[in-house]
Amino acid sequence: MKFITLTVSKAHTNCYILFDQVARRAVVIDPGDSGEQIKATLEENGLALDKILLTHGHWDHIWAVDELMADGVEFIMHKADLPYLTHDMNKPLSIAGFDAQPISATPTRFVEDGDTIPCDGFDIGVMHTPGHTPGSVLFFVENHVFTGDFLFAGSIGRYDFPGGNREAMHESLRKVAAITQDYAVHPGHMGSTTLAHEQANNPHIARVGE
């Protein structure tokens, strides 16, 4: 599996394009905006879009979904975040000059904890990690994990937004703290890290283990 990272939206969201070099069928994780840029990147690399995956439903992770949807493209997320596709749940998160709007695309599949998403050339494992949002999930691919806004380098996602929950976040962090395999961690914003480094140094993970 190879992947390309794009920075999209006014929130500087990391959008990831995953693909197998032989099959050339792409999975886009968190298309938060800049649909034309994403489509141009797919074309430049000879990739056909196969699936759109959301780590969670906040506006800066979903707003290019409508631009990318086409016949045969799968749209996959956790059902608990379905309300974020409407205007009301994302409206409080709007930023100046960028008013939240709903998207019209309908998910083709809802995933649960422990699910596997088969792709051309690789599989994607799912871990449900509520806290930042009720339907926040991590996507595991080979030795990589795409964490959305649940886990960052040295930090975690906020749980004071609509749908966030402190207790759920701490329980999810306990699940992540118990993972024994190391992974390269690719978050929804800013730079990558490793799971082993975060387990050893992230103060939020250390706190839930006390």
Side-chain angles (χ1 to χ4, degrees), residues 101-129:
Q101 300 293 332
I103 67 171
S104 60
T106 301
T108 60
R109 175 182 173 183
F110 294 114
V111 289
E112 300 288 346
D113 188 61
D115 281 356
T116 298
I117 304 169
C119 305
D120 286 330
F122 55 93
D123 291 334
I124 298 177
V126 179
M127 176 182 283
H128 185 206
T129 53

Side-chain angles (χ1 to χ4, degrees), residues 102-191:
I103 67 171
S104 60
T106 301
T108 60
R109 175 182 173 183
F110 294 114
V111 289
E112 300 288 346
D113 188 61
D115 281 356
T116 298
I117 304 169
C119 305
D120 286 330
F122 55 93
D123 291 334
I124 298 177
V126 179
M127 176 182 283
H128 185 206
T129 53
H132 182 61
T133 67
S136 174
V137 294
L138 309 186
F139 294 121
F140 292 83
V141 190
E142 299 173 354
N143 61 335
H144 302 270
V145 57
F146 299 86
T147 60
D149 290 359
F150 172 77
L151 179 66
F152 302 112
S155 187
I156 59 171
R158 293 174 60 170
Y159 42 76
D160 58 338
F161 290 147
N165 184 283
R166 179 179 182 271
E167 290 73 24
M169 173 65 83
H170 288 175
E171 185 59 36
S172 295
L173 287 170
R174 290 186 186 96
K175 289 171 62 176
V176 170
I179 297 173
T180 57
Q181 179 179 339
D182 193 16
Y183 292 89
V185 173
H186 308 292
H189 304 273
M190 301 175 293

Side-chain angles (χ1 to χ4, degrees), residues 4 26 36 60 144:
I4 299 166
E36 290 301 320
D60 55 318
H144 302 270

